[in-house]
Amino acid sequence: MLKKSLIAVTLSSLLIAPAFADLTINGFASIKAGITLDSDDTLYGYDDSLDFKNESLFAVQLMSDLGEKLSVTAQLMGRGAEDFDVEFEWAFISYQLTEEIRINAGRLRTPFYKYSDFRDVGYAYDWLRVPQSVYGLGFDNIEGISFYHTTQLGSFDSNLQLIAGAYDGDATVSGNSVDAEIKNVLGVAWELGRDWYSLRAAYLRGKVTIDAQSAELQPGVTFGTFFAGLSGAGFATLVNEIDINEEDGAFFGVGFTADKNDWLLVAEYTTVKVDNSFIANQKNFYVSLGHRFDSITPYVSYEKEDNEAKTEIYTPYLATLPPQLLVPVAGIVQSQARKATTYNLGLRYDFHPSAAFKLQYSSEDNKIADLRQDVLAFGVDLVF
Amino acid sequence: MRTIKTVLLLATLLSGAAVADIAVVVNPANANAVSADDLNRLFLGRASSFADGSKATPLNMAEGRPAREEFDSKVLNRSAAQLKAYWSKLVFTGKGTPPKELADDAAVKAAVAADSSAIGYISSSSVDSSVKVVASF
C-alpha cells in the first residue's frame, strides 16, 4: 500500500513536469502462457496447467528531458509472477557530459549479459524468453552509478560501460527467499560492433553476503542452528568456508552476435565464482541460430549449465568430522551441483507493426536428477 | 471482378511507390556533405552531428508512409519491425530516443527550412528551393 501510494505521488510529480519539461511516455508488455508437457514437471515457473500469469508483464516508462543535457527516467513494471505488484525496475538521472560520454545514476540494470538491459522487453529480441541457463543468476538490478562511453574505433562502434554500486535484495536458498547483498560492485562491460557482427565482454566483482541463517536445511533445522552446532563442535573454520558472508564474488561473460543475410547467430558464455562459500563454480553457455523469413523468424538454441560443487570444502574433514555433521555439510555443498542441457525451438511472427507473436518449446535435461522436462509457451510481446 | 480491379490498382500504386525516389534534404544554409553511412549513424542514433561538428537533428517520416518504408529499406537496410526492435532496446534502457516523426513532405520541408540543424527526407517530386538535396535514393 505504501509502495503504491509512493508511486502515485512520484507519478503525479512526474506528470506535473510537462509544464516545463519534455515528457516522453513509452511502454511495453508481454502476455504469455505456458504449460509443461508432463504432469510432474515444473520448469520456468510453469506446471501442467496452462498459466497466463507467470511470464506476463506490463511496464510504463516516463522520461523527462530537463534540458541542459539532464534527463530523468523511471520505468514502472508489474510482473505476473509477482502478482503484478508495480515496482521501479529502473529509476535514474542521466547526464550527457559530451556526445560520447554519459553518466547515469540511480537504479540501473546490472550489465552481466548482452541482453541484460532489455531482457524484459521481449519485443526487442526473437526468443520467447532469454536463455535461462545463462540469464538465471538473479541480482538483475543495482543501485549505483554508471559511466558510458560510445565512440568509433576504426570501423568498429565501441560501447564501454563502467559501473559501481550495490545490490540489496533477495536470493533463494533451498527454496527459501532470504536477504542478499552485494557490496562494492565494480564492473566493466565493453561491446564492439561493426556492420553485421558484435563482440562483448563483461567482468564484475563484489562482496557477496547471502543470509541463509533462517533458511531451512531440513524440517526444524535452519542453516543458522546447524552452523552454530558446527562452530560449537570446534569447526568454525569450516563454517567460514561454507557460509556466504562478505565473500569475494566474480562474474565474467563473453558474447558474440551476428546478423548476416537474414541469419541470426547469438552465443554467450559466463562464469560465476564466490570464494569461501558453498556456492558452486558456475560455467554456463548458450548458442542460438535463427533465420528471418520476412515477418517470421524461426530459431533453435542450445543451452548448457555446468555447476561444479566445491567438494574440496569438506574433503579435508572426512576423517575428523562426525558423520552426523559430515552428511549435512556434504549435502549443502553437493546441493549446488547442477549439470543440465536445454534445447529450444521457437519462432517469432511480426503480425503487427508494434507486436510480435512468439511460440517456444523448451526441453531441459537435468543430468544430475536424470530428469527431462518440457515446456511449451506462447504469447505476444508489444511496445507502445 | 471488383476484387481483381482493386488488386490491380493496389499493384499499380505499390509499384509506383517502389520507383518513386526519395531525396534527403537539409537546410540551404547547411554546407555539409552527407554520405549513406552518415545517414545510417544519424537515423540510428549513433551520431548526432554533421561532418563539421555542428548539431544534427534527424527528422523521420511517420510510420507507414511510403517514403518511410523506402528510407528504412534502402538507406537503413532494415524492416520496420527490425527498426522498432532496435529502438526499443535503446528507449527502454535510457540509451536513446528515435528521431521525431513528421506527418508528410510538407511538414518535413517546413521543419528543415526553419532549422539549420535539421535533416529529413521527402519524395523527390516535392523538392523545392526551401530545402537543399544532399542525397537521393
Side-chain angles (χ1 to χ4, degrees), chain A residues 61 75 99 117 157 353-354, chain B residues 41 48 84 91-92 94-95:
Chain A
Q61 175 170 297
Q75 196 181 95
E99 189 177 329
D117 280 355
D157 282 313
S354 296
Chain B
R41 305 181 65 79
S48 56
K84 189 153 245 172
V91 167
F92 295 113
K95 285 181 180 156

Side-chain angles (χ1 to χ4, degrees), chain A residues 109-335:
Chain A
R109 184 54 61 82
T110 324
F112 287 132
Y113 320 103
K114 165 85 186 163
Y115 293 85
S116 282
D117 280 355
F118 47 89
R119 62 181 291 164
D120 297 315
V121 191
Y123 187 86
Y125 48 84
D126 296 326
W127 305 308
L128 182 123
R129 72 179 70 79
V130 288
Q132 294 300 298
S133 302
V134 167
Y135 285 74
L137 185 64
F139 312 110
D140 287 336
N141 290 317
I142 194 169
E143 277 80 37
I145 186 161
S146 194
F147 167 96
Y148 297 88
H149 184 250
T150 314
T151 191
Q152 262 187 291
L153 291 178
S155 52
F156 284 94
D157 282 313
S158 161
N159 284 292
L160 177 71
Q161 180 182 4
L162 303 177
I163 194 159
Y167 170 89
D168 186 2
D170 306 324
T172 306
V173 173
S174 63
N176 301 267
S177 177
V178 297
D179 288 339
E181 228 181 36
I182 309 179
K183 283 196 233 169
N184 305 335
V185 175
L186 280 177
V188 55
W190 190 26
E191 188 163 347
L192 282 176
R194 62 183 291 182
D195 24 295
W196 59 271
Y197 66 93
S198 75
L199 299 158
R200 183 183 187 276
Y203 177 76
L204 290 100
R205 59 184 186 81
K207 290 272 182 201
V208 184
T209 301
I210 296 177
D211 184 8
Q213 296 284 337
S214 60
E216 278 198 333
L217 201 50
Q218 59 191 68
V221 184
T222 65
F223 276 78
T225 50
F226 180 66
F227 286 164
L230 265 180
S231 295
F235 296 100
T237 357
L238 181 58
V239 172
N240 274 333
E241 283 171 50
I242 298 172
D243 69 1
I244 314 163
N245 188 15
E246 304 220 344
E247 313 296 356
D248 287 325
F251 172 93
F252 173 69
V254 285
F256 174 77
T257 62
D259 181 343
K260 197 173 167 72
N261 299 335
D262 287 324
W263 285 97
L264 304 150
L265 177 71
V266 189
E268 280 188 276
Y269 171 80
T270 59
T271 65
V272 178
K273 223 175 187 172
V274 181
D275 292 347
N276 295 314
S277 74
F278 71 99
I279 297 177
N281 293 332
Q282 306 183 11
K283 288 183 197 144
N284 303 323
F285 165 79
Y286 74 83
V287 59
S288 167
L289 182 70
H291 191 277
R292 209 182 285 121
F293 298 95
D294 263 342
S295 55
I296 295 181
T297 309
Y299 57 85
V300 54
S301 68
Y302 172 77
E303 308 170 24
K304 188 168 188 226
E305 283 170 274
D306 185 0
N307 300 354
E308 200 83 51
K310 289 185 201 159
T311 49
E312 66 273 18
I313 290 177
Y314 62 81
T315 40
Y317 297 88
L318 288 177
T320 49
L321 206 58
Q324 70 272 25
L325 294 177
L326 179 64
V327 171
V329 165
I332 291 172
V333 172
Q334 280 170 358
S335 70

Side-chain angles (χ1 to χ4, degrees), chain B residues 56-70:
Chain B
T57 311
L59 299 171
N60 235 338
M61 197 66 88
E63 245 177 83
R65 306 284 301 185
R68 168 71 176 271
E69 282 162 28
E70 198 92 335

